[in-house]
Amino acid sequence: MPLYAVATRSPLAPAVAERVAGAVTTAHAELTGGPRVLVNVLFQHGYRLRAGERIDVSGTIRGGARRTDELTRRLEERLRADIAEAAGVPRGEVVVSLAKVPAKWAIEAGLVLPEPGTPEEEEWKAAVAALAD
């Protein structure tokens, strides 16, 4: 479900885009506990960014009781640092903003997403894992 849109002025080299996608996926999975296979990273170029910005990332993630403002802040900071390292740019030139949406607004593999941290989430993870096999 999480969708991260990575906007740049010009296209990233394929190897750089791969490293950035890996950094986003790892950070999201490690901090939220969400399945890596469901992290989506979309690359867009041709954007006019503010002066001093090289990469602008807008992410949409599930909200809920376990997705506190503190977790969101930590995820934004981790993404900023990891994307900068993966892209070889200064951390100050990477902007990350995250929006939390209700889980029920999203469907993955034909299944409505449960709220994070609920017993239903574990059942949902098992169902998604079974579909991936």
mmCIF file of all heavy atoms in Angstrom, residues 1-2 4 24-36 38-39 60-63 66-68 71-76 78-79 98 100 115-118 121-122 124-125:
data_model
loop_
_atom_site.group_PDB
_atom_site.id
_atom_site.type_symbol
_atom_site.label_atom_id
_atom_site.label_comp_id
_atom_site.label_asym_id
_atom_site.label_seq_id
_atom_site.Cartn_x
_atom_site.Cartn_y
_atom_site.Cartn_z
ATOM 1 N N MET A 1 0.798 -1.196 0.000
ATOM 2 C CA MET A 1 0.000 0.000 0.000
ATOM 3 C C MET A 1 0.837 1.254 0.000
ATOM 4 O O MET A 1 0.497 2.173 -0.706
ATOM 5 C CB MET A 1 -0.953 -0.017 1.207
ATOM 6 C CG MET A 1 -1.841 1.201 1.323
ATOM 7 S SD MET A 1 -1.093 2.527 2.261
ATOM 8 C CE MET A 1 -1.977 3.901 1.614
ATOM 9 N N PRO A 2 1.890 1.301 0.771
ATOM 10 C CA PRO A 2 2.580 2.586 0.772
ATOM 11 C C PRO A 2 3.048 2.928 -0.642
ATOM 12 O O PRO A 2 3.533 2.078 -1.379
ATOM 13 C CB PRO A 2 3.765 2.382 1.714
ATOM 14 C CG PRO A 2 4.001 0.922 1.736
ATOM 15 C CD PRO A 2 2.645 0.291 1.524
ATOM 16 N N TYR A 4 5.417 5.771 -2.565
ATOM 17 C CA TYR A 4 6.395 6.843 -2.469
ATOM 18 C C TYR A 4 6.678 7.358 -3.879
ATOM 19 O O TYR A 4 7.135 6.601 -4.729
ATOM 20 C CB TYR A 4 7.688 6.332 -1.831
ATOM 21 C CG TYR A 4 7.522 5.966 -0.376
ATOM 22 C CD1 TYR A 4 7.233 4.658 0.000
ATOM 23 C CD2 TYR A 4 7.650 6.923 0.612
ATOM 24 C CE1 TYR A 4 7.075 4.325 1.337
ATOM 25 C CE2 TYR A 4 7.499 6.601 1.950
ATOM 26 C CZ TYR A 4 7.210 5.295 2.305
ATOM 27 O OH TYR A 4 7.049 4.968 3.636
ATOM 28 N N VAL A 24 14.199 3.072 0.201
ATOM 29 C CA VAL A 24 12.829 3.386 0.612
ATOM 30 C C VAL A 24 12.145 2.133 1.152
ATOM 31 O O VAL A 24 11.527 2.154 2.224
ATOM 32 C CB VAL A 24 12.026 3.988 -0.561
ATOM 33 C CG1 VAL A 24 10.549 4.075 -0.228
ATOM 34 C CG2 VAL A 24 12.579 5.352 -0.946
ATOM 35 N N THR A 25 12.263 1.042 0.423
ATOM 36 C CA THR A 25 11.622 -0.206 0.821
ATOM 37 C C THR A 25 12.133 -0.685 2.174
ATOM 38 O O THR A 25 11.355 -1.053 3.059
ATOM 39 C CB THR A 25 11.859 -1.291 -0.254
ATOM 40 O OG1 THR A 25 11.299 -0.825 -1.484
ATOM 41 C CG2 THR A 25 11.227 -2.611 0.135
ATOM 42 N N THR A 26 13.442 -0.670 2.357
ATOM 43 C CA THR A 26 14.033 -1.128 3.617
ATOM 44 C C THR A 26 13.617 -0.240 4.783
ATOM 45 O O THR A 26 13.216 -0.739 5.839
ATOM 46 C CB THR A 26 15.560 -1.196 3.493
ATOM 47 O OG1 THR A 26 15.889 -2.145 2.468
ATOM 48 C CG2 THR A 26 16.207 -1.601 4.804
ATOM 49 N N ALA A 27 13.699 1.064 4.606
ATOM 50 C CA ALA A 27 13.323 1.986 5.690
ATOM 51 C C ALA A 27 11.868 1.786 6.081
ATOM 52 O O ALA A 27 11.539 1.691 7.269
ATOM 53 C CB ALA A 27 13.576 3.430 5.267
ATOM 54 N N HIS A 28 10.990 1.707 5.098
ATOM 55 C CA HIS A 28 9.567 1.548 5.394
ATOM 56 C C HIS A 28 9.311 0.231 6.136
ATOM 57 O O HIS A 28 8.635 0.217 7.163
ATOM 58 C CB HIS A 28 8.723 1.604 4.118
ATOM 59 C CG HIS A 28 7.264 1.489 4.409
ATOM 60 N ND1 HIS A 28 6.482 2.583 4.657
ATOM 61 C CD2 HIS A 28 6.454 0.408 4.548
ATOM 62 C CE1 HIS A 28 5.253 2.187 4.927
ATOM 63 N NE2 HIS A 28 5.211 0.867 4.856
ATOM 64 N N ALA A 29 9.855 -0.852 5.618
ATOM 65 C CA ALA A 29 9.610 -2.166 6.224
ATOM 66 C C ALA A 29 10.181 -2.249 7.641
ATOM 67 O O ALA A 29 9.535 -2.772 8.553
ATOM 68 C CB ALA A 29 10.189 -3.269 5.335
ATOM 69 N N GLU A 30 11.390 -1.740 7.833
ATOM 70 C CA GLU A 30 12.017 -1.835 9.145
ATOM 71 C C GLU A 30 11.313 -0.989 10.199
ATOM 72 O O GLU A 30 11.173 -1.414 11.340
ATOM 73 C CB GLU A 30 13.498 -1.464 9.066
ATOM 74 C CG GLU A 30 14.331 -2.520 8.374
ATOM 75 C CD GLU A 30 15.803 -2.176 8.299
ATOM 76 O OE1 GLU A 30 16.213 -1.076 8.757
ATOM 77 O OE2 GLU A 30 16.558 -3.012 7.761
ATOM 78 N N LEU A 31 10.865 0.196 9.832
ATOM 79 C CA LEU A 31 10.242 1.073 10.829
ATOM 80 C C LEU A 31 8.767 0.783 11.056
ATOM 81 O O LEU A 31 8.266 0.974 12.160
ATOM 82 C CB LEU A 31 10.443 2.536 10.461
ATOM 83 C CG LEU A 31 11.865 3.032 10.706
ATOM 84 C CD1 LEU A 31 12.098 4.381 10.071
ATOM 85 C CD2 LEU A 31 12.137 3.118 12.194
ATOM 86 N N THR A 32 8.050 0.338 10.026
ATOM 87 C CA THR A 32 6.609 0.112 10.189
ATOM 88 C C THR A 32 6.248 -1.346 10.400
ATOM 89 O O THR A 32 5.161 -1.639 10.865
ATOM 90 C CB THR A 32 5.825 0.612 8.964
ATOM 91 O OG1 THR A 32 6.115 -0.236 7.843
ATOM 92 C CG2 THR A 32 6.142 2.064 8.650
ATOM 93 N N GLY A 33 7.141 -2.248 10.004
ATOM 94 C CA GLY A 33 6.816 -3.672 10.080
ATOM 95 C C GLY A 33 5.983 -4.163 8.916
ATOM 96 O O GLY A 33 5.579 -5.316 8.878
ATOM 97 N N GLY A 34 5.716 -3.290 7.960
ATOM 98 C CA GLY A 34 4.925 -3.686 6.791
ATOM 99 C C GLY A 34 5.722 -4.576 5.852
ATOM 100 O O GLY A 34 6.951 -4.521 5.814
ATOM 101 N N PRO A 35 5.022 -5.408 5.081
ATOM 102 C CA PRO A 35 5.704 -6.302 4.135
ATOM 103 C C PRO A 35 6.453 -5.532 3.052
ATOM 104 O O PRO A 35 5.900 -4.608 2.443
ATOM 105 C CB PRO A 35 4.569 -7.124 3.519
ATOM 106 C CG PRO A 35 3.397 -6.937 4.427
ATOM 107 C CD PRO A 35 3.576 -5.609 5.076
ATOM 108 N N ARG A 36 7.697 -5.909 2.797
ATOM 109 C CA ARG A 36 8.517 -5.256 1.773
ATOM 110 C C ARG A 36 7.865 -5.328 0.391
ATOM 111 O O ARG A 36 7.949 -4.383 -0.380
ATOM 112 C CB ARG A 36 9.900 -5.911 1.701
ATOM 113 C CG ARG A 36 10.754 -5.722 2.922
ATOM 114 C CD ARG A 36 12.078 -6.487 2.791
ATOM 115 N NE ARG A 36 12.848 -6.062 1.646
ATOM 116 C CZ ARG A 36 13.705 -5.026 1.647
ATOM 117 N NH1 ARG A 36 13.922 -4.349 2.749
ATOM 118 N NH2 ARG A 36 14.357 -4.688 0.553
ATOM 119 N N LEU A 38 4.984 -5.015 -0.569
ATOM 120 C CA LEU A 38 3.881 -4.090 -0.824
ATOM 121 C C LEU A 38 4.313 -2.633 -0.924
ATOM 122 O O LEU A 38 3.494 -1.761 -1.166
ATOM 123 C CB LEU A 38 2.809 -4.238 0.257
ATOM 124 C CG LEU A 38 2.164 -5.624 0.328
ATOM 125 C CD1 LEU A 38 1.096 -5.648 1.408
ATOM 126 C CD2 LEU A 38 1.583 -6.042 -1.014
ATOM 127 N N VAL A 39 5.603 -2.355 -0.740
ATOM 128 C CA VAL A 39 6.103 -0.978 -0.833
ATOM 129 C C VAL A 39 6.244 -0.621 -2.314
ATOM 130 O O VAL A 39 6.897 -1.331 -3.078
ATOM 131 C CB VAL A 39 7.457 -0.818 -0.103
ATOM 132 C CG1 VAL A 39 7.988 0.604 -0.264
ATOM 133 C CG2 VAL A 39 7.311 -1.179 1.371
ATOM 134 N N THR A 60 2.592 8.202 0.775
ATOM 135 C CA THR A 60 1.284 7.948 1.368
ATOM 136 C C THR A 60 1.376 6.620 2.101
ATOM 137 O O THR A 60 1.707 5.603 1.491
ATOM 138 C CB THR A 60 0.190 7.884 0.282
ATOM 139 O OG1 THR A 60 0.232 9.083 -0.480
ATOM 140 C CG2 THR A 60 -1.181 7.724 0.905
ATOM 141 N N ILE A 61 1.114 6.666 3.419
ATOM 142 C CA ILE A 61 1.218 5.472 4.244
ATOM 143 C C ILE A 61 -0.069 5.299 5.045
ATOM 144 O O ILE A 61 -0.840 6.238 5.213
ATOM 145 C CB ILE A 61 2.430 5.528 5.191
ATOM 146 C CG1 ILE A 61 2.306 6.698 6.170
ATOM 147 C CG2 ILE A 61 3.735 5.626 4.387
ATOM 148 C CD1 ILE A 61 3.374 6.722 7.246
ATOM 149 N N ARG A 62 -0.282 4.080 5.547
ATOM 150 C CA ARG A 62 -1.445 3.840 6.408
ATOM 151 C C ARG A 62 -1.276 4.576 7.722
ATOM 152 O O ARG A 62 -0.210 4.571 8.314
ATOM 153 C CB ARG A 62 -1.573 2.348 6.752
ATOM 154 C CG ARG A 62 -2.175 1.506 5.697
ATOM 155 C CD ARG A 62 -2.426 0.089 6.191
ATOM 156 N NE ARG A 62 -1.171 -0.572 6.568
ATOM 157 C CZ ARG A 62 -1.104 -1.639 7.339
ATOM 158 N NH1 ARG A 62 -2.189 -2.163 7.868
ATOM 159 N NH2 ARG A 62 0.054 -2.186 7.623
ATOM 160 N N GLY A 63 -2.359 5.182 8.165
ATOM 161 C CA GLY A 63 -2.389 5.764 9.496
ATOM 162 C C GLY A 63 -2.920 4.718 10.465
ATOM 163 O O GLY A 63 -3.109 3.568 10.116
ATOM 164 N N ARG A 66 -0.965 2.630 15.775
ATOM 165 C CA ARG A 66 0.470 2.344 15.866
ATOM 166 C C ARG A 66 1.320 3.288 15.036
ATOM 167 O O ARG A 66 2.522 3.382 15.219
ATOM 168 C CB ARG A 66 0.721 0.903 15.409
ATOM 169 C CG ARG A 66 1.516 0.117 16.404
ATOM 170 C CD ARG A 66 1.802 -1.252 15.900
ATOM 171 N NE ARG A 66 2.511 -1.165 14.616
ATOM 172 C CZ ARG A 66 2.963 -2.204 13.963
ATOM 173 N NH1 ARG A 66 2.801 -3.395 14.439
ATOM 174 N NH2 ARG A 66 3.576 -2.066 12.819
ATOM 175 N N ARG A 67 0.715 3.981 14.116
ATOM 176 C CA ARG A 67 1.434 4.913 13.249
ATOM 177 C C ARG A 67 1.382 6.305 13.870
ATOM 178 O O ARG A 67 0.692 7.202 13.389
ATOM 179 C CB ARG A 67 0.845 4.906 11.841
ATOM 180 C CG ARG A 67 0.892 3.547 11.157
ATOM 181 C CD ARG A 67 2.302 3.210 10.706
ATOM 182 N NE ARG A 67 2.423 1.856 10.205
ATOM 183 C CZ ARG A 67 2.239 1.484 8.949
ATOM 184 N NH1 ARG A 67 1.891 2.350 8.049
ATOM 185 N NH2 ARG A 67 2.402 0.230 8.603
ATOM 186 N N THR A 68 2.102 6.478 14.921
ATOM 187 C CA THR A 68 2.112 7.727 15.659
ATOM 188 C C THR A 68 2.832 8.822 14.872
ATOM 189 O O THR A 68 3.566 8.551 13.917
ATOM 190 C CB THR A 68 2.830 7.544 17.004
ATOM 191 O OG1 THR A 68 4.200 7.202 16.733
ATOM 192 C CG2 THR A 68 2.178 6.459 17.847
ATOM 193 N N LEU A 71 6.517 8.085 14.998
ATOM 194 C CA LEU A 71 6.956 7.095 14.007
ATOM 195 C C LEU A 71 7.048 7.743 12.634
ATOM 196 O O LEU A 71 8.017 7.517 11.898
ATOM 197 C CB LEU A 71 6.016 5.891 13.967
ATOM 198 C CG LEU A 71 6.336 4.870 12.878
ATOM 199 C CD1 LEU A 71 7.680 4.191 13.146
ATOM 200 C CD2 LEU A 71 5.238 3.855 12.742
ATOM 201 N N THR A 72 6.070 8.553 12.292
ATOM 202 C CA THR A 72 6.084 9.224 10.992
ATOM 203 C C THR A 72 7.296 10.140 10.875
ATOM 204 O O THR A 72 7.975 10.168 9.845
ATOM 205 C CB THR A 72 4.780 10.010 10.786
ATOM 206 O OG1 THR A 72 3.670 9.110 10.905
ATOM 207 C CG2 THR A 72 4.741 10.663 9.412
ATOM 208 N N ARG A 73 7.593 10.883 11.931
ATOM 209 C CA ARG A 73 8.764 11.771 11.932
ATOM 210 C C ARG A 73 10.051 10.966 11.770
ATOM 211 O O ARG A 73 10.927 11.321 10.981
ATOM 212 C CB ARG A 73 8.814 12.589 13.222
ATOM 213 C CG ARG A 73 9.946 13.620 13.244
ATOM 214 C CD ARG A 73 10.178 14.190 14.627
ATOM 215 N NE ARG A 73 10.585 13.182 15.599
ATOM 216 C CZ ARG A 73 11.797 12.593 15.640
ATOM 217 N NH1 ARG A 73 12.716 12.907 14.762
ATOM 218 N NH2 ARG A 73 12.076 11.692 16.561
ATOM 219 N N ARG A 74 10.166 9.858 12.493
ATOM 220 C CA ARG A 74 11.359 9.006 12.386
ATOM 221 C C ARG A 74 11.486 8.421 10.982
ATOM 222 O O ARG A 74 12.593 8.337 10.425
ATOM 223 C CB ARG A 74 11.316 7.888 13.426
ATOM 224 C CG ARG A 74 11.615 8.371 14.821
ATOM 225 C CD ARG A 74 11.681 7.287 15.907
ATOM 226 N NE ARG A 74 11.853 5.938 15.451
ATOM 227 C CZ ARG A 74 10.994 4.939 15.717
ATOM 228 N NH1 ARG A 74 9.914 5.136 16.430
ATOM 229 N NH2 ARG A 74 11.243 3.730 15.267
ATOM 230 N N LEU A 75 10.365 8.019 10.400
ATOM 231 C CA LEU A 75 10.388 7.476 9.040
ATOM 232 C C LEU A 75 10.822 8.543 8.044
ATOM 233 O O LEU A 75 11.653 8.279 7.168
ATOM 234 C CB LEU A 75 9.019 6.900 8.674
ATOM 235 C CG LEU A 75 8.886 6.267 7.290
ATOM 236 C CD1 LEU A 75 9.920 5.164 7.066
ATOM 237 C CD2 LEU A 75 7.472 5.727 7.099
ATOM 238 N N GLU A 76 10.304 9.762 8.176
ATOM 239 C CA GLU A 76 10.718 10.848 7.280
ATOM 240 C C GLU A 76 12.218 11.100 7.384
ATOM 241 O O GLU A 76 12.904 11.227 6.359
ATOM 242 C CB GLU A 76 9.958 12.136 7.615
ATOM 243 C CG GLU A 76 8.529 12.129 7.147
ATOM 244 C CD GLU A 76 7.747 13.356 7.572
ATOM 245 O OE1 GLU A 76 8.153 14.051 8.535
ATOM 246 O OE2 GLU A 76 6.714 13.634 6.936
ATOM 247 N N ARG A 78 14.585 9.017 8.471
ATOM 248 C CA ARG A 78 15.324 7.856 7.960
ATOM 249 C C ARG A 78 15.317 7.848 6.439
ATOM 250 O O ARG A 78 16.350 7.602 5.801
ATOM 251 C CB ARG A 78 14.695 6.579 8.527
ATOM 252 C CG ARG A 78 15.123 5.286 7.879
ATOM 253 C CD ARG A 78 16.381 4.702 8.461
ATOM 254 N NE ARG A 78 16.750 3.485 7.778
ATOM 255 C CZ ARG A 78 16.412 2.255 8.176
ATOM 256 N NH1 ARG A 78 15.727 2.080 9.284
ATOM 257 N NH2 ARG A 78 16.774 1.205 7.477
ATOM 258 N N LEU A 79 14.152 8.118 5.856
ATOM 259 C CA LEU A 79 14.066 8.154 4.395
ATOM 260 C C LEU A 79 14.970 9.235 3.820
ATOM 261 O O LEU A 79 15.687 8.992 2.842
ATOM 262 C CB LEU A 79 12.615 8.391 3.948
ATOM 263 C CG LEU A 79 11.670 7.211 4.125
ATOM 264 C CD1 LEU A 79 10.226 7.666 3.993
ATOM 265 C CD2 LEU A 79 11.989 6.104 3.130
ATOM 266 N N LEU A 98 5.297 12.912 4.303
ATOM 267 C CA LEU A 98 4.427 11.737 4.365
ATOM 268 C C LEU A 98 3.014 12.146 4.751
ATOM 269 O O LEU A 98 2.815 13.015 5.602
ATOM 270 C CB LEU A 98 4.954 10.735 5.394
ATOM 271 C CG LEU A 98 6.360 10.196 5.151
ATOM 272 C CD1 LEU A 98 6.758 9.244 6.261
ATOM 273 C CD2 LEU A 98 6.455 9.516 3.800
ATOM 274 N N LYS A 100 -0.605 10.356 6.062
ATOM 275 C CA LYS A 100 -1.229 9.133 6.571
ATOM 276 C C LYS A 100 -2.693 9.101 6.124
ATOM 277 O O LYS A 100 -3.393 10.098 6.233
ATOM 278 C CB LYS A 100 -1.142 9.075 8.094
ATOM 279 C CG LYS A 100 0.277 8.958 8.598
ATOM 280 C CD LYS A 100 0.333 8.739 10.092
ATOM 281 C CE LYS A 100 0.165 10.046 10.824
ATOM 282 N NZ LYS A 100 0.397 9.920 12.272
ATOM 283 N N GLU A 115 -6.222 -1.840 10.058
ATOM 284 C CA GLU A 115 -5.482 -0.837 10.812
ATOM 285 C C GLU A 115 -4.167 -1.459 11.280
ATOM 286 O O GLU A 115 -4.141 -2.634 11.688
ATOM 287 C CB GLU A 115 -6.293 -0.356 12.014
ATOM 288 C CG GLU A 115 -7.516 0.451 11.636
ATOM 289 C CD GLU A 115 -7.176 1.760 10.935
ATOM 290 O OE1 GLU A 115 -6.212 2.433 11.340
ATOM 291 O OE2 GLU A 115 -7.887 2.107 9.975
ATOM 292 N N PRO A 116 -3.076 -0.710 11.257
ATOM 293 C CA PRO A 116 -1.792 -1.232 11.729
ATOM 294 C C PRO A 116 -1.855 -1.613 13.213
ATOM 295 O O PRO A 116 -2.505 -0.935 14.007
ATOM 296 C CB PRO A 116 -0.826 -0.063 11.526
ATOM 297 C CG PRO A 116 -1.479 0.815 10.520
ATOM 298 C CD PRO A 116 -2.955 0.653 10.730
ATOM 299 N N GLY A 117 -1.204 -2.716 13.546
ATOM 300 C CA GLY A 117 -1.094 -3.129 14.938
ATOM 301 C C GLY A 117 -2.290 -3.864 15.491
ATOM 302 O O GLY A 117 -2.361 -4.107 16.690
ATOM 303 N N THR A 118 -3.229 -4.243 14.647
ATOM 304 C CA THR A 118 -4.408 -4.971 15.114
ATOM 305 C C THR A 118 -4.255 -6.461 14.839
ATOM 306 O O THR A 118 -3.453 -6.859 13.990
ATOM 307 C CB THR A 118 -5.679 -4.464 14.400
ATOM 308 O OG1 THR A 118 -5.537 -4.729 12.990
ATOM 309 C CG2 THR A 118 -5.899 -2.982 14.622
ATOM 310 N N GLU A 121 -4.490 -7.343 11.292
ATOM 311 C CA GLU A 121 -3.326 -7.110 10.437
ATOM 312 C C GLU A 121 -2.520 -8.386 10.256
ATOM 313 O O GLU A 121 -2.041 -8.676 9.157
ATOM 314 C CB GLU A 121 -2.440 -6.005 11.003
ATOM 315 C CG GLU A 121 -1.265 -5.707 10.077
ATOM 316 C CD GLU A 121 -0.345 -4.632 10.618
ATOM 317 O OE1 GLU A 121 -0.129 -4.570 11.837
ATOM 318 O OE2 GLU A 121 0.189 -3.870 9.794
ATOM 319 N N GLU A 122 -2.373 -9.163 11.325
ATOM 320 C CA GLU A 122 -1.613 -10.416 11.213
ATOM 321 C C GLU A 122 -2.306 -11.388 10.272
ATOM 322 O O GLU A 122 -1.658 -12.065 9.469
ATOM 323 C CB GLU A 122 -1.388 -11.031 12.602
ATOM 324 C CG GLU A 122 -0.488 -10.186 13.498
ATOM 325 C CD GLU A 122 0.832 -9.785 12.834
ATOM 326 O OE1 GLU A 122 1.499 -10.635 12.215
ATOM 327 O OE2 GLU A 122 1.189 -8.592 12.921
ATOM 328 N N TRP A 124 -4.265 -10.528 7.814
ATOM 329 C CA TRP A 124 -4.110 -9.946 6.495
ATOM 330 C C TRP A 124 -2.719 -10.237 5.930
ATOM 331 O O TRP A 124 -2.566 -10.608 4.768
ATOM 332 C CB TRP A 124 -4.365 -8.441 6.587
ATOM 333 C CG TRP A 124 -4.054 -7.681 5.342
ATOM 334 C CD1 TRP A 124 -4.838 -7.577 4.227
ATOM 335 C CD2 TRP A 124 -2.880 -6.932 5.080
ATOM 336 N NE1 TRP A 124 -4.200 -6.785 3.292
ATOM 337 C CE2 TRP A 124 -3.005 -6.386 3.795
ATOM 338 C CE3 TRP A 124 -1.737 -6.657 5.806
ATOM 339 C CZ2 TRP A 124 -2.031 -5.592 3.229
ATOM 340 C CZ3 TRP A 124 -0.754 -5.859 5.231
ATOM 341 C CH2 TRP A 124 -0.916 -5.332 3.958
ATOM 342 N N LYS A 125 -1.673 -10.086 6.761
ATOM 343 C CA LYS A 125 -0.299 -10.368 6.323
ATOM 344 C C LYS A 125 -0.178 -11.824 5.864
ATOM 345 O O LYS A 125 0.470 -12.125 4.861
ATOM 346 C CB LYS A 125 0.703 -10.073 7.420
ATOM 347 C CG LYS A 125 0.998 -8.621 7.619
ATOM 348 C CD LYS A 125 2.048 -8.441 8.715
ATOM 349 C CE LYS A 125 2.368 -7.012 9.003
ATOM 350 N NZ LYS A 125 3.354 -6.872 10.092
#
